[in-house]
Amino acid sequence: MIVSKFGGTSVGTFEAMQHSASIVAENTDRKLIVISATSGTTNDLVALESPTLGSTEREEILMRIEERHLSIISECENQEELRKTFLGQMSELREHLDQTGREKRWKDRLYSFGELMSTRIFVQVLKQYGIEAEWLDARDVMKTDSTFGNAAPDIKQIAKKAKKFIKPDKTYLTQGFIGSDIFGNTTTLGRGGSDYSAALFAEGVNADVLEIWTDVAGVYTTDPRIVPDAKPISEITFDEAAELSVFGGKVLHPATLKPAIRGNVKVRVASSKDPSQEGTLIVNTSKESPVIRAISLRKDQTLLTVHSLDMLHQHGFLAKLFTVLAKHKISVDLVTTSEVSVSLTLDTANKASNKVELTDEVLNELRGFCEVEVEKDLSLVALIGNRMESTSGISGPLFSLLEGYNIRLVCHGASPNNVCFLVKEGTGEEIVKLVHKKFIG
Ligand code: ASP
Ligand code: MG
């Protein structure tokens, strides 16, 4: 069984939906299709949530959502019924917006309209391609806790409900991103959560393969916008891919891989625009394991350095430092330490989440027990591969390549799959080009 997920751009227009439907039609093992909202729609719904939104603005946004969907519907067969269903959803949406006493769960119900609308239309497009898919309400299966906006899945319940609602001899179309809690409230898994949904479904139904159809032909050796020679990687391990998604690969939502690893589901990332390209297969163990497989670049890094002589031969300093950061919900990426200093970078991978910045409050609290320095405009370059901690001969060529550049911080040794370093923002792309040419070619 294959679970196939199509993102917003793969269902964003009638043409895109046609492409995606023709992919589904190619293989009858594609039994569970998970899709996102049409591209732009979740952003529009988020914009509607603003309490200060004026009525003209509100109307503009609603019209945008309406036009986007009606223009797809206008190219479908069975238009009348589709229009009726969709316009019904639009009035439900308006009613929802008119509600007073907005609680947290109000937002998740609002966000859920995007996926509920796109699936109603796509089920018809699938039909036009000969696929009789049953429309499945993801909320019947995707059981979560009640953390609205970022709900945590209940894996046991999902497996149980999957057994109940998903029969192996049928094909289903369902929504990514949305779920429900035990009280029946609609929840969401966090922005960009459809990949995660699809992986949870794949785990829940015990799928062999999870396909993520997106607008790029898989995971590349580096960003092709920086290095036009970059190639799609045909196979990569979960361990490597995890470093890639954490360190700035844009294809995968970082949490996506967890259910797939747990469920021993292979993940294939491929382009719905160009399905003839094989894409990238992510597996537990790969046939080939090159020392350096990919290079990634992450911009907009902040480096925090703290310094204190109290650290010398003392215990508890790091604990104190991290307690302050934890209290302010600041997530840390990289850490290096010396006898009397600690440097760390902040996690900026997930801008959409409610990331807390280094506010004056945090800095002042830290200044209570150490000297603090903050540097911005840095980029992180990461080499991703295998056995990097135990392979000799990487650092020599790497650092001679970087001779003319100022390297602010290096992390090497914590992971066999990653060596990374911080450089000045303006030099990041140049360095990626050099490193890619030298190690990947
Ligand atoms: N539609 C949701 C979003 O835009 C989920 C997704 O596309 O993955 O965040
Ligand atoms: Mg998306």
Side-chain angles (χ1 to χ4, degrees), residues 5-9 36-37 115 191-195:
K5 182 259 171 179
F6 295 87
T9 51
S36 297
E115 271 73 8
R191 289 304 308 274
S194 290
D195 292 345

